[in-house]
Amino acid sequence: MKKFLLGTVGLVALGVAAPASAADLAARPYTKAPPPMVAAIYDWSGFYIGANGGWGSQRNCFTAVSATGTFLAAEGCHNATGGVAGGQIGYRWQVSQWVFGLEAQGDWANLRASNASLFFPGPGFINRSQMNAFGLFTGQVGYAWNNVLLYVKGGAAVTDNRRDILFAATNAVVATSSNNTQWGGTVGVGLEYGFAPNWSVAVEYDHIFSSNRNTTFFVPATSTFFGADRISGGVDLVTARVDYHFNWGGPLVARY
């Protein structure tokens, strides 16, 4: 009986001590929730200026015509190839993921080649061409995936060309073209990547359409009429570009 009473008293004592021990425990510390994930959103709106360089090819086909433009004979074709370098300036504005823009580009060029005239075979004449510069004035429409922009462009183009007729036996210039500036159209496509605050790089392809044009040739020393050719000169261009964007400070908007 004494053992039973002692056991009962012990159980009651443990029941009283347990809540007191729980009360002495420190409160569970508060843990702050981790910050939400932030995704950088780029805005392609604003002014930009940049430089470009690359390679070009101009297809020149000469057709001999009379002073009045009457067809005489085909003289053959050649591809004038070489380097190009220049700059561009433009403005873009973005609506959702669509990007619209206007751009002016001007480049120095050194595209040159020649071919023997089929109309004057043997030790006759050589037709030589050189494109010295070009300008593009275009509108753009693009679609952006954050800092990646795919765009197409189109508008007007102007080229500065020099064409000469050489005497094959000596390679001396016997006549040179008088009207060297030619207007046409252009279309292109590019892919641009924003890689740092305010900076982007791009690769671009452009084609310049130049319609057939009658070109007159004059003897340099006397400015007398020598002959005339109808010349076509479409141009293909591949350039790498780097642009500085005035409004960029890196990501402009944060999305949670």
Side-chain angles (χ1 to χ4, degrees):
M1 186 65 179
K2 182 186 288 186
K3 291 182 179 181
F4 175 77
L5 290 175
L6 290 174
T8 302
V9 171
L11 290 174
V12 172
L14 286 175
V16 173
S21 298
D24 292 337
L25 294 176
R28 187 177 64 181
Y30 171 74
T31 303
K32 185 178 180 180
M37 297 297 293
V38 178
I41 304 300
Y42 280 76
D43 186 351
W44 291 88
S45 301
F47 286 98
Y48 63 92
I49 189 170
N52 70 79
W55 174 90
S57 176
Q58 183 182 43
R59 178 72 170 172
N60 288 278
C61 292
F62 286 67
T63 301
V65 296
S66 67
T68 59
T70 303
F71 171 83
L72 296 178
E75 294 197 68
C77 304
H78 60 258
N79 291 322
T81 60
V84 301
Q88 64 275 346
I89 185 171
Y91 180 83
R92 289 176 175 145
W93 59 96
Q94 183 168 349
V95 180
S96 184
Q97 288 180 271
W98 292 98
V99 180
F100 306 90
L102 296 171
E103 183 181 273
Q105 175 180 338
D107 279 49
W108 163 87
N110 186 27
L111 314 185
R112 60 170 67 190
S114 61
N115 69 278
S117 171
L118 302 178
F119 190 33
F120 302 98
F125 296 111
I126 294 174
N127 296 327
R128 184 176 69 185
S129 70
Q130 179 174 338
M131 190 175 87
N132 300 308
F134 67 89
L136 307 179
F137 308 92
T138 56
Q140 297 181 358
V141 179
Y143 192 83
W145 291 270
N146 199 10
N147 61 329
V148 177
L149 175 66
L150 176 66
Y151 62 89
V152 295
K153 59 190 294 186
V158 60
T159 58
D160 178 67
N161 309 278
R162 178 187 172 114
R163 276 90 179 219
D164 299 312
I165 298 176
L166 287 66
F167 185 51
T170 62
N171 262 359
V173 175
V174 297
T176 188
S177 58
S178 60
N179 44 346
N180 297 321
T181 301
Q182 187 169 358
W183 285 87
T186 183
V187 295
V189 61
L191 182 65
E192 192 162 354
Y193 173 71
F195 68 93
N198 299 97
W199 292 96
S200 67
V201 292
V203 60
E204 184 175 297
Y205 165 78
D206 297 287
H207 181 78
I208 298 176
F209 299 92
S210 295
S211 58
N212 294 343
R213 180 179 182 180
N214 290 351
T215 300
T216 54
F217 291 87
F218 293 86
V219 178
T222 61
S223 296
T224 57
F225 176 79
F226 180 85
D229 277 275
R230 183 174 296 118
I231 304 174
S232 61
V235 184
D236 293 295
L237 301 164
V238 178
T239 54
R241 300 154 57 103
V242 58
D243 289 320
Y244 179 83
H245 301 257
F246 289 96
N247 70 310
W248 277 13
L252 299 181
V253 182
R255 176 179 295 169
Y256 295 91

